[in-house]
Amino acid sequence: MKTILIAGGCGFIGSNLCIRLLNDNNKVICVDNLYSSKIENIKTCMDNENFTFINHNIIEPLYIDKGIDEIYHLACPASPQIYQKDPIYTLKTNFVGTMNLLELARIKSSKIVLASTSEIYGEPQVSPQPETYRGNVNTIGIRSCYDEGKRIAETLFMDYHKQYNVQTRIVRIFNTYGPNMDKYDGRVVTNFISQILNNESITLYGDGSQTRSFQYIDDLLDGIIKLIDSEYIYPINIGNPNEITVKQLASILIEITGSNSKFIYKPLPLDDPTNRNPEIQLAKKILNWEPQVELKTGLIKTIQYLQNC
Ligand code: UDP
């Protein structure tokens, strides 16, 4: 039985990970300050004797009085609308917060994995994006606090490995969806499903031709767990290479639900990437991982979740 600390454990990915790792018979310490997450997400874990919740902001140093085998660093607002509300806070979380968790990993000799992001590729000039692509990121735009924050977090991870031999792992997560997403986080999957469920028009930003590649949460969890169990220290993409336009996503959701919702067009936010598509050859080779869940199957489960919350 391992003791695993999940920073950001009440968020969408974190809460699904808490549930999964408890089911796999681990002790889970969930750390979260509920800035962009909900305690309800972990309500099914609360009665489990192997689960502890600590309300803590990782910007402050974290002291834990027991051994920790693994740390998952998922603590950061991830929806553009939310991370842009207080960009300095987003930056601090990624720099100071990341250092605090790396210090904890150093003291405890724990393995530690960083939830990095496809955002580090910025507005990509190559498609699909391999891990070797260094990205095309605006340093002073509205998304920079998140994009550059995650880039410095990756740098901190590598330098803690090189300087202190901390057992670091870096996963670059592409757009992910599934149960426990916040209905009002402003992201495309939740916006479209909520609009359809409320018989409202579907808001396409720009002309809806920008692409994303959506992976279901269970596939992501398989990938991150395989990564922390591996010896691989360099960044690795975990995403579903099924690239579609945002307009196609809306059409698929209309088809699944039989909705009568129409499209309305809104301005494209600044620096909104035109495309995202993970190159996953490395994950296939190193982790023997590839996504299993079909888009429609995952979307149906997500709709069922959002209908009931
Ligand atoms: N988007 C949209 N309508 C919405 C919400 C988002 O057309 O109601 C678009 C957004 O402009 C972006 C894509 O969907 O191109 C994905 O947005 P999201 O905020 O989910 O994540 P991102 O990948 O941009 O971080």
Side-chain angles (χ1 to χ4, degrees), residues 2-4 29 64-70 108 110:
K2 288 187 280 197
T3 300
I4 302 176
I29 304 170
I64 304 282
D65 58 6
K66 38 181 115 120
I68 302 171
D69 299 298
E70 295 174 356
K108 301 285 181 185
S110 337

Side-chain angles (χ1 to χ4, degrees), residues 2 18 40 51 53 63 68 87 107 128 136 141 149 175 211 231 235 242 277:
K2 288 187 280 197
C18 286
E40 292 78 47
F51 183 77
F53 171 65
Y63 304 101
I68 302 171
I107 293 162
N136 176 30
N175 293 66
T211 67
E231 298 296 315
N242 175 20
N277 185 5

Side-chain angles (χ1 to χ4, degrees), residues 208-247:
S209 66
Q210 65 272 38
T211 67
R212 294 293 186 271
S213 307
F214 298 96
Q215 77 177 325
Y216 189 63
I217 181 70
D218 290 356
D219 283 332
L220 171 67
L221 298 185
D222 289 344
I224 314 184
I225 292 168
K226 282 189 167 191
L227 176 62
I228 208 163
D229 286 344
S230 80
E231 298 296 315
Y232 194 73
I233 58 160
Y234 298 104
I236 196 157
N237 289 339
I238 295 289
N240 191 320
N242 175 20
E243 181 182 17
I244 57 170
T245 66
V246 160
K247 196 171 185 176

Side-chain angles (χ1 to χ4, degrees), residues 44-149:
T44 59
C45 306
M46 285 298 197
D47 291 337
N48 191 316
E49 58 180 14
N50 291 323
F51 183 77
T52 314
F53 171 65
I54 302 174
N55 190 330
H56 177 85
N57 186 341
I58 58 158
I59 287 175
E60 305 300 331
L62 180 57
Y63 304 101
I64 304 282
D65 58 6
K66 38 181 115 120
I68 302 171
D69 299 298
E70 295 174 356
I71 299 174
Y72 287 78
H73 175 12
L74 308 166
C76 182
S79 146
Q81 281 187 12
I82 299 171
Y83 71 62
Q84 287 165 19
K85 263 194 212 156
D86 187 348
I88 306 292
Y89 178 77
T90 302
L91 283 161
K92 266 193 191 164
T93 304
N94 280 309
F95 187 75
V96 182
T98 298
M99 271 191 80
N100 284 331
L101 291 179
L102 283 163
E103 279 300 319
L104 186 67
R106 182 157 85 104
I107 293 162
K108 301 285 181 185
S109 302
S110 337
K111 289 189 205 171
I112 180 166
V113 61
L114 169 69
S116 184
T117 168
S118 56
E119 282 293 304
I120 66 103
Y121 298 122
E123 171 57 34
Q125 307 293 299
V126 297
S127 180
Q129 293 87 50
E131 291 82 351
T132 47
Y133 180 55
R134 291 187 183 169
N136 176 30
V137 178
N138 179 0
T139 59
I140 54 170
I142 57 172
R143 295 173 84 104
S144 309
C145 59
Y146 186 73
D147 301 8
E148 295 292 1

